[in-house]
Amino acid sequence: MARPIILAVDDDVNVLEAVVQDLRRRYGADYRVMRAAGGQAALDTLSQVKERNENVALLISDQRMPGLTGVQVLERSREVYPEARRVLLTAYADTEAAIQAINSARIHYYLNKPWDPPEERLYPVVSDLLESWRLGYRPRFEGLTVLGHRWSARDHEIRSFLSCNHVPYRWLDVDGEEGSKLLQERKLESAEFPVVLFPDGASLAAPSPEELAQRVGLKIQASKDFYDLVVVGGGPAGLAAAVYGASEGLRTLVVEPEAPGGQAGTTSLIKNYLGFHQGITGAELGQRALLQAQAFDVEFVTQRAAGLRIDGQYNFICMSDGREVSSHAVVLAPGVQYRKLDVPGAERLTGRGIYYGAALVEAPSCKDEDVYVVGGANSAGQAALHFSKYARTVTMLVRGPGLAATMSKYLIDEIGRTSNIVLRPQTQVIRAIGEEHLEGLRLRGPNGEEEVKAESLFVFIGAAPRTDWLPPAILRDEKGFILAGPDLRNDGKLPPEWQETREPFLLETSVPGVFVAGDVRHGSVKRVASAVGEGSIAVQFIHQYLAGF
């Protein structure tokens, strides 16, 4: 397969040659560095490589050029290669125009001339952008195939599992021409759906997550019986704890039943996370954190924690397959799940038109449909913006009078600029309608009740902690969120479960050596940045705890 292309654009031959040479010196082994001596020449080049089905990873264009400016070239390049990363090369006098272009032309970065030394002022930026492009890049399909029905809840679960774990796959409807033909070729007409087909000719009918994880190369069993630190949950808090723990010498295991990234991993775009001015998808953030953790030898297993057993100074995590692993310290970061929509018909149609969370795998299937989103927090706003790229309309159903009290202003502003998003305040779903799949909704609003046609409903109505597997010794509040540190006190007194003479550390639960981080903690701030902060801080308290052994 041809190497992806980096295209440099400048009408000044000397500057263009310098850019090309610097890029080739660092990236020539993995990318083909091409040049274009002007804006129109660049667009012509893009059209030619598009006809050859080649991939463009990055464009770097000078701003001041006759005919087309750099901003115009990069903006028009989006029509041909929308996923390519775009960098504007400017003089200091053009900095203001470059900053404006970040929003107007969706430019990912701008660099001032001169960029010497490139090791400090060029390569870090370009490397980060290429890594970002690579994580979202989908080469010519050579992965596995899922044969199923769109309105199957099990089919939806398998596709979500594969997508969240970055396993390439294509989905085919068993009733479609290509799907039914493939079914006959493999002689699988009587198989239970969905069926997963592998490139080597093997197949799995309606596999469990553990079966599928093992078949695609994910670990489902820990390699050791004992670790210094076991982290339960692979969301931002858990990944941060794993990175900081392992980087400071702790043998670390992460237990995650679905995929690194957690609930944040399904977020279409996070734009208020520090350091990512263009935003970053939850999946990409999770993948970057996973690679970082693996670089520190963190071990990951695709398993569900089913219990926690305390034996002296040792903590035993009981897995869903019956095995156990022990450790000196535990970080509980299993995250939360969206609360269920408690209306007639909702349970029956879950996974068959009603989805909890962003359900990004369903977005392409919503093309030209009318999609409904329930909820008014940031996650609902991010999902609405993502689905608006595919759906004919996206209607946000909000119980309150508006979004100002529950959503970040940058999202409210962007929703206001998106013509096919409709906001319906003070409106609730009171019934889900449909037999085999969702067909409509009954709504109650300020003007009474009405029925609307709907094939997809995405629900974001508050968080329920995943803590029912924990023993009674881990104290929780009335909603199931885990108490820690000062929150363990009741009327100024520590609970009888706390047997230590010292005070519990800030993120330490009612069991010494067991810490909590992220959304599952009582009183936590439901933001990615705060979850990452708690995960890293927990490790510092773990060191203090271990020092007392």
Side-chain angles (χ1 to χ4, degrees):
M1 189 178 296
R3 290 172 295 166
I5 292 169
I6 298 174
L7 179 62
V9 187
D10 202 312
D11 68 311
D12 187 321
V13 176
N14 293 327
V15 175
L16 181 60
E17 184 63 24
V19 173
V20 168
Q21 290 304 316
D22 281 342
L23 292 172
R24 282 181 176 166
R25 187 165 63 249
R26 174 60 67 92
Y27 307 106
D30 300 311
Y31 296 86
R32 186 152 58 100
V33 181
M34 299 179 64
R35 70 188 77 200
Q40 189 57 51
L43 297 178
D44 292 342
T45 298
L46 291 176
S47 297
Q48 292 166 10
V49 297
K50 185 70 172 181
E51 290 178 1
R52 298 196 297 266
N53 292 319
E54 296 187 67
N55 295 291
V56 175
L58 182 139
L59 296 98
I60 180 168
S61 176
D62 189 62
Q63 166 63 359
R64 293 193 178 186
M65 297 186 296
L68 294 173
T69 65
V71 170
Q72 292 171 324
V73 170
L74 295 176
E75 187 169 23
R76 288 174 61 175
S77 73
R78 294 176 58 208
E79 301 172 7
V80 189
Y81 284 98
E83 302 302 324
R85 296 316 190 244
R86 298 172 294 280
V87 178
L88 188 67
L89 199 58
T90 72
Y92 281 108
D94 299 322
T95 298
E96 184 175 347
I99 294 173
Q100 293 176 350
I102 287 176
N103 289 322
S104 63
R106 296 288 191 256
I107 289 172
H108 294 95
Y109 215 93
Y110 72 89
L111 291 170
N112 288 121
K113 296 185 292 186
W115 58 87
D116 289 329
E119 289 77 12
E120 295 179 9
R121 303 182 62 185
L122 177 67
Y123 296 152
V125 171
V126 171
S127 295
D128 188 61
L129 291 174
L130 289 175
E131 175 66 10
S132 174
W133 175 84
R134 188 190 65 79
L135 289 172
Y137 168 58
R138 293 293 178 264
R140 186 174 58 199
F141 182 76
E142 296 177 352
L144 50 83
T145 298
V146 178
L147 285 172
H149 301 280
R150 179 187 174 187
W151 304 117
S152 162
R154 188 75 189 98
D155 185 281
H156 168 73
E157 291 172 5
I158 285 178
R159 288 185 285 121
S160 295
F161 179 85
L162 293 172
S163 296
C164 291
N165 281 286
H166 303 274
V167 178
Y169 75 95
R170 61 173 177 164
W171 179 82
L172 295 176
D173 192 330
V174 295
D175 298 320
E177 181 179 350
E178 188 176 359
S180 59
K181 180 180 177 182
L182 189 56
L183 207 62
Q184 293 173 7
E185 290 176 356
R186 295 287 190 100
K187 295 180 170 53
L188 293 169
E189 293 92 339
S190 61
E192 182 181 358
F193 294 109
V195 175
V196 182
L197 307 178
F198 297 89
D200 63 1
S203 63
L204 284 176
S208 67
E210 290 78 13
E211 289 175 320
L212 191 55
Q214 188 171 26
R215 186 61 179 80
V216 300
L218 301 176
K219 290 187 64 174
I220 62 172
Q221 294 180 15
S223 61
K224 304 179 183 68
D225 294 326
F226 175 82
Y227 295 83
D228 297 316
L229 170 63
V230 172
V231 180
V232 179
L239 289 169
V243 167
Y244 279 87
S247 68
E248 295 174 11
L250 300 179
R251 291 170 297 175
T252 303
L253 173 73
V254 175
V255 180
E256 166 58 47
E258 295 169 0
Q263 190 182 93
T266 65
T267 303
S268 56
L269 191 66
I270 304 168
K271 291 194 70 173
N272 60 351
Y273 189 66
L274 186 66
F276 294 92
H277 66 282
Q278 286 286 334
I280 184 171
T281 68
E284 183 179 342
L285 185 64
Q287 182 71 356
R288 285 176 178 237
L290 171 64
L291 295 173
Q292 188 178 19
Q294 290 174 331
F296 290 117
D297 295 324
V298 174
E299 185 178 341
F300 287 80
V301 293
T302 304
Q303 274 279 4
R304 185 175 300 280
L308 172 62
R309 180 169 63 86
I310 314 298
D311 188 355
Q313 293 182 332
Y314 295 95
N315 305 294
F316 292 82
I317 298 294
C318 310
M319 306 292 189
S320 57
D321 65 0
R323 294 181 173 87
E324 287 187 337
V325 292
S326 62
S327 67
H328 283 313
V330 172
V331 171
L332 299 175
V336 296
Q337 56 193 358
Y338 289 107
R339 295 189 184 278
K340 301 298 183 182
L341 191 64
D342 187 18
V343 300
E347 183 176 356
R348 184 182 73 257
L349 296 172
T350 295
R352 297 190 290 170
I354 296 180
Y355 308 99
Y356 292 89
L360 300 183
V361 297
E362 300 298 334
S365 300
C366 297
K367 184 174 176 59
D368 298 328
E369 293 182 358
D370 297 313
V371 169
Y372 286 79
V373 174
V374 177
N378 278 12
S379 53
Q382 290 159 348
L385 287 167
H386 182 72
F387 294 131
S388 70
K389 301 173 185 176
Y390 302 89
R392 179 170 51 242
T393 62
V394 178
T395 301
M396 298 189 67
L397 307 175
V398 183
R399 296 186 68 172
L403 300 174
T406 55
M407 187 179 293
S408 296
K409 186 177 185 300
Y410 81 90
L411 282 171
I412 297 174
D413 292 343
E414 199 161 349
I415 287 170
R417 291 192 295 265
T418 306
S419 60
N420 63 334
I421 296 181
V422 179
L423 178 65
R424 294 191 56 173
Q426 298 179 315
T427 303
Q428 301 178 54
V429 176
I430 59 174
R431 178 180 292 275
I433 303 167
E435 294 301 325
E436 296 301 319
H437 62 87
L438 181 69
E439 298 175 11
L441 299 169
R442 187 160 188 82
L443 307 178
R444 178 184 293 137
N447 299 319
E449 296 184 5
E450 64 173 312
E451 287 189 7
V452 295
K453 180 182 177 182
E455 291 182 293
S456 296
L457 174 70
F458 300 90
V459 182
F460 305 81
I461 53 171
R466 298 173 175 172
T467 58
D468 55 353
W469 57 278
L470 291 170
I474 302 292
L475 298 183
R476 284 150 279 179
D477 64 17
E478 65 280 1
K479 294 182 179 179
F481 291 91
I482 299 173
L483 299 171
D487 292 325
L488 288 170
R489 288 188 173 274
N490 187 9
D491 293 331
K493 297 179 180 180
L494 287 170
E497 288 83 356
W498 184 260
Q499 297 294 313
E500 302 292 305
T501 56
R502 62 173 176 84
E503 289 286 312
F505 295 116
L506 181 63
L507 298 176
E508 194 170 21
T509 71
S510 49
V511 173
V514 178
F515 297 79
V516 61
D519 291 355
V520 76
R521 183 182 65 83
H522 168 82
S524 65
V525 178
K526 305 300 187 286
R527 290 289 186 270
V528 173
S530 62
V532 170
E534 288 188 13
S536 59
I537 292 170
V539 173
Q540 305 309 309
F541 294 126
I542 287 170
H543 283 299
Q544 295 181 47
Y545 169 75
L546 295 176
F549 273 26

